[in-house]
Structure formats: structure tokens, C-alpha cells
Amino acid sequence: MEPFNSIANPLSSFFFICILLLLANAASGKTHHHDFVIQATPVKRLCKTHNTITVNGQFPGPTLEVNNGDTLVVKVVNRARYNVTIHWHGVRQMRTGWADGPEFITQCPIRPGKSYTYRFTIQGQEGTLWWHAHSSWLRATVYGALIIHPKDGGSYPFAKPKRETPILLGEWWDANPIDVIRQATRTGAAPNVSDAYTINGQPGDLYKCSSQDTTIVHVDSGETNLLRVINAALNQQLFFSVANHKLTVVGADASYVKPFTTSVLMLGPGQTTDVLIKADQQPAKYYMAARAYASAQGAPFDNTTTTAILEYKTASCSSNCAKTNAVFPSLPAYNDTVTATAFTTKFRSPRKVEVPKEIDENLFFTVGLGLDNCPRGASSSNCQGPNGTRFTASMNNVSFVLPSNFSLLQAHHQGIPGVFSTDFPAKPPVKFDYTGNVSRSLWQPIRGTKLYKLKYGARVQVVLQGTSIFTAENHPIHLHGYDFYIIAEGFGNFNPKRDATKFNIVDPPLRNTASVPVNGWAVIRFVADNPGVWLMHCHLDVHIGWGLAMAFLVENGISEVESLEAPPVDLPVC
């Protein structure tokens, strides 16, 4: 038997290794290669043609579809005249912080004429995310959907819909968006509001020169469609509704939720919501419509309404629908905080989840606007904010300043001194009535590039407290590299004794962007299990430009799988 064994063992080992390799390949998913060319493209909207920055000449940009477990390799070539980066909004980027994309945070920008290849794997996420430029105001037109299907052989936790349709809500300026923000930066005033909202790049029937290109979504009577709704607007929370149809919410930010039915959605910029819609009405044309939820009292906003059409594809509709107008939905009032709150507080995880109970880092961050006094010697033309000031914003009284010579992740990884400090405060330097009449002495923040350091594996709770400095409003706060549980939200000043009783640590929703209520607060929890430098900021782009941001520096753990990967060789240099 001896000679037989000596032959059999190597053979069996060989087959065993082959099986392991096959299993590894099956587990690792597919690799999808894409080329993104950033370029100026003539785009006509609202009667005028603009040389608009696009990806591959498309507006919105291409929809990417992958399965949970797949890898994306996207080569971005910059043929525009502006610096650019691409952020994969909501992707966990486990150990691949170099691919996250925010300018001067995880990479230097891709300069005109240069390129960079983003490489990352989707791990444990299913649903709708999106990608967008993360450099100045380029994301006004550089964005697209990122759809993550279940693993091969997997299924949705609901009946498979007949169709799936991405619905990208956007914001359009009848001008060059970069010029709009540059003028505001120069003057210190608020930037001009947009001229239109869009659905899949089209303003819709209520705007001039637009009705011939209105987005149409076709349905068959009786079928169920999955609408993947994304708020890609730059500066505005939006209400969304479909005339005469109920929407069943089944997912948000690439996490499934306990299904609930509603007639209206509210999404902050950055948020996604997956809804099932059944074509159970009389065959006809029905408007989908979106318009502003504008929570800041007295602040100007774009009060227009974008529309698309849900059109039944039956024979009776084909002949009759052409002659009749689409039915219009009822939308909430612009300042309807009650409806916005009723919607956001309905979200629950589908089942009991593992929320961190013991907390290692208990943080309290104020988020809100401020005003800078006019700098000595500055011209009044550079101080056109209220009463001769300049608009600013801050978290814990620190107005965040982006570095310019290195990215924060590069400075951390290479130990480059002087780029940032790690003394971001764990609580505001002064305790005050955050949502009351705030003393004018607290309106001016300090400027700095301050990070907060977290040990690998730390269990973190952050209270996000809105302030009423200058004006209170709803702030969509997005954390890069992480999902977090929203365990509570409320109005007024957060009171730990009173409000801890409201904490949901059983089935809170898992999100990447939290809508902090106007004049209120939200509490989030997460485990710092992804090493790197991760930006947390308001997703109203006007606010991040004013400094409503901070970043966490999450240290490496012990092993290689708990440590940041080495930077890619083609990482852009500043």
C-alpha cells in the first residue's frame, strides 16, 4: 500500500488545491473594468447650451452595475480644464482608503491631462449607491448611479421586481457651476441658487425648452418596479412623490430596511432610497415630481419643481394618454419639517442588529453656520455676507481647512509633519444654548486642519447637534469609509439624561448619510474597523466649502488585514 499512497497523496493534494482556488475565485466575485474620461461636452438645458464637465460625454454619467463581492477598476482620465477626483459614495473601502476620492483628504487631485485608476471591492453591501466628483463644485454634473445586486445565486429580501429604474435627482445651474462657487468664495456671500432641478438629467415639463426631453419611465399594468432614488443635488434636500401611487421603502444607502409604505420621500443630498412601486392605477400618465425641502428660515432656495413621467404601456393608454395631461402629485410645503421628520424616523433595520453597547469614544459635535468678520484691509466687495461679514461654517467651532501640498492620508501614511494636527475637540469648547439665541461672540469659528484620532476597533458614539448660529437648517452629514447606526434624533438641545431613553439599540437603520433635523440633533454609532483618514462633512456642498467638516484618523490594528493597504503607484501627486 505504501507506493500507492505516495502517488495518491500528491494527486489528492493537487485536486484539493484546485478546489480551494475555484472556491476562492467564486468567493472573490468578478472584476469590472471601466474607463471614465472627464471632459467638457456641449449640454443644452433651459434653452441654452453650456460646455458642461461630464464623464464619457454623458450627463448624468454612466450607471455602474456590480454584485456584492465584485471588484471595480475604474481608470479616470482628466481631459477637462479643472482638477478632479471621483468619490464612490457609501462604498466601505475596507483598507482601500486611497480609492475613496475626496480631494486633499485621501488623494491629491487628478490634474488636467493626468489619470488615476481607482481599485476597490464591494464587501457586504447591496442596494443603491452612487459616484460623484469630490472636487470644488464639479459634482453638479459629474455623477452617476452605482447599483449593487446580491451575490450570484442570492436574492432580494422581497419579491423580485419586473423592472428596476435609477432615478437621479440633480440640480442645474444655467451657468458654469465652478464660476458660481468661485464668485461666492471671492465675495464671501452665499452662492447663487440653482435654476432647475432634474430627474435623470432632465428638468421636465415645468421649465422652458424642456418638455420635449422629459424623462419617461414605462410600466406595464400590474407590474412592480424598483425605483432606485438618489439625491445627487448639490445643496438641497428634496421631497419626491409619484401621483396616485404609494411607495414601499425597502432600502437606503445600500442597506435593506424594514419595508414601510409612504406617499412622499425626503432625501438629503448623498442619500439613496430604494422603493417598490406597483402599477395598480388606471392606465395613464402620472408625474413623478421633486422639489425643495427648505428648512433654513429666510435663506433663498430654488423653489422650482422637476418632473418625470410614469407612463403605462398598455394599448388603451397608447391611444388615450397622448391626448391627456399627466396627473400631478401632491407635494409637501417647502418648509414641512413635520413630514420630513415623520419620514426619516420610520427607518428600521429588517431585524435585530449588533449595535455597539459599550462606548469607548463618546463625542459631541456641533454642526452649523457662522460668520467671519471682514479681514483687516479687505475690500467690502470681499465681505458681502450679512453686515459686511463672510459666510463660514464649522464643527465644534473649527472651520475645516483642506491642505494643498499633500493629502491627509498621504501625510499620515508617510509621517509628513505640519499638514494636520490631531486635536479636533471631542466636544464644543464652550457649552451654550445651541438652538436658542446664540451670543454673537460665538458666531466666529477658528480655522484649522484638525483630525480626531481613533484606535482600531474603538466603539464610537457621535451626537451631531445642529446650531442656530445665523440660521438653523437640516444638515445631511456624510461619513466616508463607514456605515453607522442612527440610534435617535430629536429637536432642541440634546440632553443625555432625557434623550438616552429614546435610543433604539435593537433595530436602528444603517446609513452613510444622516439628516440632522433643523434645530435638532441625531446620534450615530459605529465601530472604527477601517483604518485610514475618513472625512465627515455636510453634504450641502456650499457648507463643506465653508468648513462644515472634520476627519477621523483611524489607526491600523495589529494584523495586516487590520491595516491600510500600501498606496498605488499611480496615486496623483500634488
Side-chain angles (χ1 to χ4, degrees):
M1 296 298 291
E2 222 25 64
F4 178 76
N5 274 343
S6 63
I7 296 168
N9 283 342
L11 279 174
S12 59
S13 299
F14 172 76
F15 286 124
F16 181 66
I17 289 165
C18 286
I19 289 164
L20 279 180
L21 286 170
L22 284 169
L23 288 172
N25 279 339
S28 62
K30 296 177 187 150
T31 299
H32 304 260
H33 293 266
H34 295 277
D35 290 315
F36 275 16
V37 178
I38 312 292
Q39 60 189 45
T41 305
V43 175
K44 187 175 184 181
R45 297 290 184 274
L46 309 182
C47 318
K48 253 195 244 169
T49 300
H50 292 276
N51 246 353
T52 300
I53 306 302
T54 65
V55 170
N56 300 349
Q58 299 174 41
F59 172 64
T63 294
L64 305 185
E65 296 199 49
V66 298
N67 292 76
N68 180 4
D70 288 356
T71 295
L72 271 162
V73 178
V74 185
K75 182 178 182 181
V76 177
V77 178
N78 186 4
R79 292 199 184 134
R81 59 192 174 109
Y82 306 110
N83 294 336
V84 73
T85 65
I86 300 291
H87 169 51
W88 313 93
H89 185 110
V91 173
R92 282 294 320 265
Q93 297 289 1
M94 299 302 292
R95 303 179 55 229
T96 52
W98 306 105
D100 189 44
E103 182 179 56
F104 295 116
I105 305 294
T106 59
Q107 67 168 100
C108 297
I110 307 166
R111 306 289 183 186
K114 302 292 185 184
S115 68
Y116 177 49
T117 301
Y118 294 90
R119 297 174 179 84
F120 56 92
T121 300
I122 306 293
Q123 298 182 47
Q125 295 182 282
E126 294 178 13
T128 306
L129 295 175
W130 62 302
W131 56 265
H132 61 78
H134 212 299
S135 185
S136 184
W137 269 25
L138 282 185
R139 85 169 176 89
T141 55
V142 177
Y143 62 85
L146 172 54
I147 294 168
I148 308 168
H149 299 287
K151 289 186 175 183
D152 279 340
S155 61
Y156 298 131
F158 45 84
K160 189 171 177 7
K162 182 78 182 295
R163 304 167 193 267
E164 300 183 12
T165 310
I167 300 290
L168 290 102
L169 309 177
E171 206 167 0
W172 178 263
W173 276 260
D174 201 9
N176 179 349
I178 301 292
D179 291 344
V180 173
I181 187 57
R182 281 180 177 172
Q183 181 192 2
T185 303
R186 193 167 55 248
T187 63
N192 292 340
V193 299
S194 55
D195 297 289
Y197 299 112
T198 57
I199 297 178
N200 293 355
Q202 294 295 342
D205 289 357
L206 305 184
Y207 298 90
K208 58 187 181 181
C209 307
S210 300
S211 56
Q212 69 278 10
D213 295 309
T214 296
T215 297
I216 297 173
V217 177
H218 288 110
V219 288
D220 280 323
S221 282
E223 77 177 22
T224 298
N225 194 339
L226 176 64
L227 302 181
R228 299 176 177 275
V229 188
I230 299 165
N231 185 352
L234 223 65
N235 292 319
Q236 193 60 64
Q237 290 89 347
L238 294 167
F239 287 123
F240 173 83
S241 194
V242 183
N244 294 13
H245 289 74
K246 291 285 188 195
L247 305 171
T248 301
V249 178
V250 292
D253 293 359
S255 289
Y256 296 118
V257 302
K258 198 171 281 179
F260 66 91
T261 301
T262 180
S263 58
V264 64
L265 312 180
M266 193 289 284
L267 297 92
Q271 292 184 320
T272 73
T273 307
D274 291 347
V275 297
L276 296 173
I277 180 169
K278 187 160 188 192
D280 56 3
Q281 297 299 302
Q282 187 72 26
K285 291 191 295 192
Y286 298 89
Y287 274 125
M288 301 174 171
R291 75 176 186 195
Y293 164 48
S295 58
Q297 205 170 350
F301 66 95
D302 178 352
N303 64 0
T304 62
T305 303
T306 180
T307 57
I309 293 171
L310 185 76
E311 186 172 312
Y312 282 65
K313 284 200 318 173
T314 58
S316 61
C317 189
S318 300
S319 52
N320 298 334
C321 290
K323 304 170 196 161
T324 56
N325 292 328
V327 183
F328 205 85
S330 168
L331 283 162
Y334 297 116
N335 63 350
D336 190 344
T337 292
V338 171
T339 294
T341 305
F343 176 71
T344 57
T345 52
K346 276 183 187 166
F347 284 84
R348 295 282 184 275
S349 284
R351 61 193 65 80
K352 191 175 187 300
V353 287
E354 289 297 314
V355 184
K357 307 267 193 319
E358 302 293 316
I359 298 299
D360 303 306
E361 296 276 2
N362 204 339
L363 308 175
F364 188 101
F365 292 175
T366 54
V367 296
L369 302 186
L371 296 174
D372 271 338
N373 295 330
C374 196
R376 189 171 293 166
S379 146
S380 60
S381 64
N382 301 123
C383 301
Q384 292 182 25
N387 303 316
T389 60
R390 293 178 59 84
F391 272 111
T392 186
S394 68
M395 296 176 79
N396 277 359
N397 201 48
V398 179
S399 187
F400 190 76
V401 178
L402 285 174
S404 55
N405 295 328
F406 301 96
S407 73
L408 295 175
L409 189 58
Q410 184 186 6
H412 160 58
H413 184 71
Q414 297 177 5
I416 301 165
V419 179
F420 63 83
S421 60
T422 54
D423 56 347
F424 186 86
K427 60 181 192 296
V430 178
K431 196 173 178 180
F432 58 97
D433 181 1
Y434 309 111
T435 55
N437 288 322
V438 182
S439 161
R440 291 298 288 260
S441 64
L442 297 171
W443 283 35
Q444 180 154 334
I446 61 163
R447 287 165 56 79
T449 309
K450 296 175 183 286
L451 278 55
Y452 192 90
K453 195 182 280 191
L454 294 172
K455 285 200 178 327
Y456 184 90
R459 297 159 296 184
V460 184
Q461 174 175 293
V462 187
V463 177
L464 297 163
Q465 173 69 61
T467 70
S468 58
I469 294 174
F470 184 68
T471 185
E473 67 181 290
N474 182 299
H475 293 281
I477 301 296
H478 171 50
L479 175 58
H480 289 232
Y482 285 88
D483 289 326
F484 48 73
Y485 290 110
I486 304 176
I487 61 169
E489 63 174 72
F491 292 99
N493 297 334
F494 176 77
N495 179 324
K497 284 185 184 147
R498 179 193 66 214
D499 295 325
T501 61
K502 302 173 188 169
F503 286 2
N504 173 10
I505 52 173
V506 177
D507 60 353
L510 191 63
R511 303 295 300 259
N512 63 53
T513 306
S515 286
V516 178
V518 56
N519 260 329
W521 49 268
V523 183
I524 66 171
R525 285 186 184 178
F526 64 96
V527 176
D529 60 358
N530 193 9
V533 176
W534 304 107
L535 186 65
M536 186 159 82
H537 65 96
C538 181
H539 220 274
L540 305 175
D541 270 28
V542 60
H543 289 180
I544 185 177
W546 287 342
L548 213 171
M550 59 80 65
F552 288 108
L553 193 168
V554 180
E555 296 177 315
N556 284 339
I558 297 163
S559 65
E560 188 184 347
V561 295
E562 295 176 350
S563 302
L564 179 69
E565 289 183 359
V569 291
D570 64 337
L571 188 72
V573 294
C574 289

